[in-house]
Amino acid sequence: MNGDGLMDVVVSRVHRENSAIRKHTEWYPNLGGTFGAPIELANRDYLAIRPVDIDGGGDTDVVLSKSTSYGGGSLLWMENVPG
């Protein structure tokens, strides 16, 4: 994800925090033997996570998708920009 040649992790999860249901999609950067603190990409859960260079920029973007039982869904493109 960050171009350092190490495989990072993107995870989507739902958990209970106190009495609230929390949804997150987070990136954990690989620091070379350990993973860094999570960086939140979205404040909801997604069922499919696809790392891909969608814009042809030479870096790894992330595409997130989720469908619903009532025929709806969402698609989110996280563009990897320099800096």
Side-chain angles (χ1 to χ4, degrees), residues 5 14 16 18 20-22 24 29 31 33 37-39 43-44 47 50-51 54-55 63-66 71 77 79 81:
V14 177
R16 184 174 298 278
N18 298 321
I21 300 294
R22 304 268 300 157
H24 303 277
L31 303 177
I39 299 166
N43 61 354
R44 63 181 296 188
L47 298 176
R50 175 83 175 162
I54 198 166
D55 62 354
V63 176
L64 307 166
S65 65
K66 180 176 184 169
W77 166 32
E79 182 181 9
V81 295

Side-chain angles (χ1 to χ4, degrees), residues 9 12-13 23 28 36 38 55 57 60 62 65 69 71 80:
V9 173
S12 192
R13 64 191 180 105
K23 300 176 181 183
Y28 292 82
D55 62 354
T60 304
V62 177
S65 65
S69 60
N80 191 341

Side-chain angles (χ1 to χ4, degrees), residues 16-17 19 33 68 82:
R16 184 174 298 278
E17 187 175 293
S19 61
T68 62

Side-chain angles (χ1 to χ4, degrees), residues 32-49:
T34 63
F35 287 93
I39 299 166
E40 188 166 320
L41 300 177
N43 61 354
R44 63 181 296 188
D45 60 322
Y46 287 89
L47 298 176
I49 301 169

